[in-house]
Amino acid sequence: MINALIERWRPETHTFHFPVGECAVTLEDMAIILSLSTNGLPITGPTMSSVEALEAECLHQFGVAPRKTDCRGSFIKLTWFRGLKDRIVLNDDVHIQMYVKCHIMLLFGTILFRDKSGDGRSTDTVAQLGLDPTTISSADSRQSPSVSNCKQAYGIGNIDLYVIPLDIRHNSVIWSATVPLISFECIEWHASDRVRRQFGLRQGVPNQERDLGASHGKNLTGPKNQDWANTHSFWVMQ
């Protein structure tokens, strides 16, 4: 499915082109599917590829730095986070925060951005990560009425309000904004003017496609010691 979507992506319009029309990932998708806040400052800042920067950040966040054997190039092995998490004693707020940070890194490495290299334990279950599967099951059952019909649009007007947390629903007014989306080195245009019907609006003639220039093609292949907040300051101000 991912390969099929890649073939349908058009960087000129920042949308997927299908025989039935255009499609794009929107702020509404991020809010409803992932429960992410879509209102606030861009997620950006410096990326430091040096070993020294990695050690300094770990000392700041966890109070201890990984050894060379705990790393693979510029990556920290998940076994280091798992071992650190198991050793933390939850006796104050500082150690509780460290425990949660380890847990988040393990979620990134085993669930959200999982690969088959390095750790040998990328098939962790939800239960092994300390989550309660019964809670997830009950949450799925509560949402089942709103997703039972796959032909029905999942726009804000077609979802039971109790399914969407109030803090997420409060930001629905900006989901149709036409703005640049920024995450460190990545910039993509939020082409909401091409999918107005998703937001219950009338679809008019879209605006001229926005040219992001060289900012659209940047990636983190190889070492990048750079402060992206300054590099992309123009788009941040947008």
Side-chain angles (χ1 to χ4, degrees):
M1 181 176 179
I2 296 297
N3 289 335
L5 286 174
I6 291 174
E7 292 175 358
R8 292 288 183 175
W9 179 255
R10 295 295 180 268
E12 300 84 4
T13 59
H14 310 283
T15 57
F16 298 101
H17 284 219
F18 297 103
V20 295
E22 293 182 73
C23 174
V25 178
T26 67
L27 293 175
E28 180 182 14
D29 298 323
M30 294 297 99
I32 294 180
I33 298 175
L34 300 178
S35 294
L36 292 176
S37 175
T38 53
N39 191 13
L41 297 175
I43 306 300
T44 188
T47 52
M48 307 299 290
S49 301
S50 68
V51 174
E52 293 77 15
L54 179 67
E55 292 177 344
E57 186 64 23
C58 287
L59 284 171
H60 174 66
Q61 299 292 344
F62 304 105
V64 61
R67 299 167 297 180
K68 290 184 178 180
T69 55
D70 297 318
C71 300
R72 188 177 70 255
S74 59
F75 296 90
I76 303 176
K77 295 179 181 178
L78 294 181
T79 49
W80 185 79
F81 288 107
R82 189 174 288 111
L84 178 60
K85 177 185 173 185
D86 292 341
R87 294 192 302 270
I88 294 176
V89 180
L90 304 178
N91 54 6
D92 55 40
D93 289 345
V94 173
H95 286 85
I96 291 175
Q97 290 177 10
M98 289 172 53
Y99 184 91
V100 172
K101 290 174 184 177
C102 288
H103 186 81
I104 291 173
M105 295 303 294
L106 287 169
L107 285 175
F108 282 146
T110 59
I111 303 297
L112 296 180
F113 305 111
R114 183 173 64 187
D115 61 31
K116 297 179 181 179
S117 61
D119 190 33
R121 287 185 57 189
S122 61
T123 56
D124 285 18
T125 64
V126 173
Q128 286 174 317
L129 287 175
L131 301 179
D132 185 355
T134 59
T135 303
I136 297 176
S137 299
S138 61
D140 291 341
S141 65
R142 289 197 303 270
Q143 296 184 28
S144 58
S146 64
V147 297
S148 59
N149 187 349
C150 62
K151 295 182 181 180
Q152 182 180 7
Y154 65 87
I156 188 69
N158 295 323
I159 296 181
D160 294 330
L161 291 181
Y162 71 86
V163 174
I164 307 173
L166 189 60
D167 58 331
I168 297 295
R169 197 180 342 135
H170 274 166
N171 294 324
S172 62
V173 67
I174 68 169
W175 290 345
S176 60
T178 306
V179 292
L181 302 179
I182 303 170
S183 177
F184 288 91
E185 85 289 356
C186 300
I187 294 185
E188 186 55 75
W189 192 253
H190 188 238
S192 61
D193 58 316
R194 307 185 72 90
V195 290
R196 289 297 192 195
R197 283 172 292 194
Q198 174 173 331
F199 307 102
L201 304 174
R202 182 177 179 179
Q203 181 62 57
V205 178
N207 299 323
Q208 180 67 32
E209 293 82 3
R210 191 63 182 267
D211 183 8
L212 300 178
S215 300
H216 197 215
K218 292 185 181 296
N219 59 68
L220 282 183
T221 302
K224 289 287 192 302
N225 299 307
Q226 196 164 348
D227 188 343
W228 299 101
N230 292 331
T231 303
H232 295 321
S233 59
F234 172 79
W235 298 111
V236 171
M237 291 303 297
Q238 295 292 312

